[in-house]
Amino acid sequence: LDFSKVEAGKLELEQVRFRLQDMLQQIRDLFIEQARQKRLELQFSVDPQVPTWLIGDPLRLSQVLINLLSNAVKFTGQGKVILRVDLALQIKAPETPAEIWLHFAVQDTGIGLSPEQCSHLFQAFSQADSSTSRKYGGTGLGLSIAQRLVQLMGGRIEVQSLAGAGSTFSFNIRSFRADPLSDLPTLTEPASVP
């Protein structure tokens, strides 16, 4: 569905206020048991400079991260999978929320890819090779969708990999701005009135 909407130019991104840590925790919960079963170390690392609250499309962002993490866990037999989130750039303007550029990276110690495999990895219905498709399954459509979603958010997915030595998929997005309310304290109970 997402792919057909993107191809038709009809997919619109939401701009809603969300808490990044909550989104990441939900994603981590999806993979923690699978990682345990494979005895993989699953790490999530967030730069302290990244704002707690953001404005953007958490659903589309989570779709991209879930796809990248799913591949990382699937193609890693031992070692670890790491998701890193860093503040790449913050542009402040008077009386408006600051525009935020975030850098996301998913790194694994899996089977890796050759330069030739990397060159067509984001083409629709493309897999690294036929043996990969037979062993691990999948249609090869997930990375193409992820790439298109990242492009809608102002970025582009890049991959660094060596056959047999793991892969790192990374992207910057500029669709997020710091919510000015994020710096206000969160009240957990009503304030007392003297």
Side-chain angles (χ1 to χ4, degrees):
L1 178 62
D2 282 341
F3 187 73
S4 61
K5 284 185 177 180
V6 171
E7 287 291 283
K10 295 182 178 180
L11 184 65
E12 295 184 2
L13 297 178
E14 290 188 328
Q15 292 295 310
V16 299
R17 183 174 182 261
F18 69 99
R19 190 172 185 268
L20 180 64
Q21 290 284 4
D22 291 343
M23 187 198 73
L24 294 178
Q25 183 62 52
Q26 293 172 358
I27 293 174
R28 189 177 185 276
D29 290 344
L30 292 176
F31 294 101
I32 189 65
E33 186 56 35
Q34 186 181 356
R36 283 199 188 110
Q37 291 176 0
K38 297 185 71 173
R39 298 184 179 180
L40 299 177
E41 186 178 350
L42 182 62
Q43 298 179 5
F44 279 39
S45 173
V46 180
D47 181 350
Q49 297 184 76
V50 174
T52 301
W53 291 91
L54 300 169
I55 298 173
D57 193 327
L59 175 61
R60 302 307 180 191
L61 176 57
S62 65
Q63 286 179 325
V64 174
L65 294 175
I66 287 170
N67 180 271
L68 297 181
L69 284 165
S70 176
N71 286 340
V73 173
K74 180 194 298 185
F75 295 119
T76 302
Q78 60 182 1
K80 57 189 175 183
V81 172
I82 304 171
L83 167 62
R84 291 191 174 90
V85 186
D86 294 295
L87 180 64
L89 181 65
Q90 181 170 227
I91 303 173
K92 295 183 179 180
E95 300 181 1
T96 60
E99 184 178 356
I100 299 296
W101 288 64
L102 296 179
H103 179 76
F104 293 84
V106 176
Q107 180 181 3
D108 65 63
T109 57
I111 61 175
L113 298 159
S114 68
E116 181 182 359
Q117 290 170 334
C118 290
S119 66
H120 59 79
L121 199 58
F122 298 104
Q123 296 173 8
F125 304 106
S126 173
Q127 293 246 340
D129 56 44
S130 58
S131 63
T132 299
S133 180
R134 286 194 301 270
K135 182 175 181 180
Y136 296 100
T139 63
L141 191 57
L143 283 176
S144 179
I145 293 175
Q147 174 72 293
R148 300 297 182 90
L149 290 175
V150 169
Q151 288 172 346
L152 283 176
M153 291 185 280
R156 187 168 83 92
I157 297 181
E158 297 180 345
V159 58
Q160 294 181 323
S161 186
L162 288 173
S167 303
T168 299
F169 287 81
S170 62
F171 60 92
N172 284 2
I173 52 175
R174 68 167 184 262
S175 300
F176 300 101
R177 296 172 298 164
D179 188 331
L181 297 177
S182 63
D183 295 327
L184 298 177
T186 301
L187 296 178
T188 56
E189 58 185 34
S192 59
V193 179

